Each structure stands twice: as C-alpha cells, then as structure tokens.
Amino acid sequence: MRISRWLADRWVMGVALLVLGYLSLPILVVAGLSFNRPSSRLSYDFHEFTLDNWTHPCATSDMCDAVVRSVQIGFIATVVSTVLGTLMAFALVRHRFTGRSGINVLIFLPMATPELVMGTSLLALFVWSDGQLRATFGFGIPQGFWTIVIAHVMFCVSFVVVTVKARLAGMDRRLEEAAMDLYASEWQTFRRITLPLVLPGIVAAALLAFSLSFDDFIITNFNAGTTVTFPMYVWGAAQRGIPPQVNVIGTAMFVIALLLVGVSSLRGRRAKRLS
C-alpha cells in the first residue's frame, strides 16, 4: 500500500522527468560531440576526446563569418521587433479603437502561416519591390542582408506582441492609479511603476525574437540572395561533412541562454524576498 501510494503521488513527476530527459537528449549529444575528433568528415561517432574544437572555434573561417552575420541580423531584428511589438501591445491592451479586434487577428497570422508560404510570399514581395524601385527611382533593394532583416522583423513582431500582451494583461492597474494619486506624473508612473513591471515580459519577448531570428532557415533561404547565415551554412555543410565546431557554437548558444534564464530567475527570487 505504501509503495502504491508513493507511486500514485509521484507518477506525474516521473513522467515529467522522462519527457524532459527525452527533450534534453539531443542537446547532450551536441554537447558531447563538441569535444569529439571525428574519424572522418562524414562520421558522427565519438572517436576521440579533444579540446581543440573549443580552443579553435573559428578553424573554419566561413562558419564564423556566418555566425557573426546571424548574430548581427538577430540583433537588429530583435531591437526593431521588440520596440514595435511593445508599442503595439500597449496600444492593444490599454486603448479601445476601431479595428482593434481585426488587428488582433492579423497579429496571429504570421504565427499561424507556414514558413514555406511566408518565405515565398516575401520573396515575391521583394522581387516586385526591387523591380518597381529600379523602374521608378533607378535603384532597388537586392536580396541579401537587409531583406533577411525585414523578413525576420515581420514574423518576430507577432511573438513580441503576444508575449508583452500577456504580461500587460496580468498587471494590476491599481498600482499605477495609486502612484498617480500620490501626485506622480504620467512619465514618473510609467518609469517607476509600469516599466519595471512589464520589463520581464519585454526581455522574454526579446530573447524569443533573437532565438527565432538566429535559428530561422526556411524564410531566410528564400530571401537571402548570396548572404549565408549560420543555419544556411550548416545545411550546406551537411552535404560535405559538418565541422565539429558547429557543435561548439550550438553548445555555447545553449549555455548562454541557460545562464540568462538562470540570472533572470535568481533576480526575480531576490526581488520577491526583499519585498
């Protein structure tokens, strides 16, 4: 009876741990292969332990160029989409205007649209715009770095709006009203009350936008032209043998994301203890 009761109380936790272990297995494999010296370019078996991949992550210069390019695109797309998405979220949550429900539906369209459809649609848009600009003004927007940035901003904005909206919907408006009752101006209320409360949602949205931008392949592949990002480099290298330094980049990105989440969680716990 004691054993059956113990299992009944903890079976959900056991299933959850098994699911988390299954989800973490690919990450552990990538981390392990980052310390591997493969027997051949097309071999993925663990042949020999080495630290050369970590001490020389840019042994393949093309890969590091692609990583830097992906980080640049991700940073620009994150900043633009976070600013636009945050402003849109405030407008949709705090104001009532004509067409508000229709805009809420339109925001979900990029999230629900298959990436293949969005990629081809953006390709057609950029090709048409380039032709029209060249015919009218004598210059155009060739496919490359900036078309990728525009494409990434278009689908990242929706995720930012949804994330910040969820944070705003859970806020207690009485805190802002109390601050203004104590003679705080609108700017002081926003800076000291609203912004600190909504900031975790904005940071979470920015991290999500950067992850989506850095990781995107399908939409980028349609609109990249001759520009090569890190996912496109990995896809191309798979045909001739992926260098082990790719696993180093993947492991490093995961560790950085894990550290950011850990620091944010610790700061949140300290703030609760102090309050």
Side-chain angles (χ1 to χ4, degrees), residues 5-184:
R5 183 177 300 175
W6 186 87
L7 292 175
D9 293 338
R10 292 169 174 79
W11 72 270
V12 175
M13 178 63 69
V15 173
L17 291 176
L18 289 176
V19 172
L20 289 176
Y22 175 76
L23 294 175
S24 302
L25 186 60
I27 300 173
L28 296 177
V29 171
V30 170
L33 290 176
S34 67
F35 297 97
N36 179 41
R37 179 182 286 117
S39 57
S40 65
R41 293 182 62 89
L42 297 176
S43 175
Y44 297 98
D45 60 328
F46 196 89
H47 179 255
E48 182 182 354
F49 180 84
T50 181
L51 294 175
D52 292 343
N53 301 328
W54 285 89
T55 55
H56 301 90
C58 291
T60 306
S61 59
D62 294 342
M63 187 196 71
C64 281
D65 293 339
V67 171
V68 171
R69 197 171 296 113
S70 290
V71 171
Q72 292 173 342
I73 293 172
F75 177 77
I76 298 174
T78 298
V79 172
V80 176
S81 61
T82 301
V83 172
L84 294 178
T86 301
L87 294 176
M88 292 173 64
F90 269 95
L92 291 171
V93 173
R94 296 298 179 86
H95 301 280
R96 300 291 183 268
F97 52 89
T98 304
R100 178 172 173 267
S101 58
I103 293 177
N104 279 317
V105 174
L106 291 175
I107 287 173
F108 279 96
L109 283 180
M111 302 172 62
T113 304
E115 289 192 343
L116 184 64
V117 175
M118 182 175 292
T120 54
S121 301
L122 289 170
L123 173 62
L125 174 64
F126 289 137
V127 171
W128 177 83
S129 301
D130 182 67
Q132 293 294 319
L133 288 173
R134 291 185 186 278
T136 306
F137 301 103
F139 66 91
I141 305 177
Q143 287 182 308
F145 184 91
W146 291 109
T147 55
I148 298 175
V149 171
I150 296 172
H152 286 195
V153 169
M154 290 188 68
F155 68 78
C156 285
V157 164
S158 297
F159 291 92
V160 174
V161 172
V162 171
T163 305
V164 178
K165 274 183 63 180
R167 183 66 180 180
L168 286 172
M171 285 179 52
D172 190 354
R173 293 293 302 273
R174 292 176 296 181
L175 296 175
E176 297 171 303
E177 295 172 356
M180 299 189 73
D181 288 341
L182 295 174
Y183 305 103

Side-chain angles (χ1 to χ4, degrees), residues 227-240:
T227 304
V228 179
T229 61
F230 182 62
M232 294 178 63
Y233 173 85
V234 174
W235 177 76
Q239 303 175 11
R240 58 184 184 274

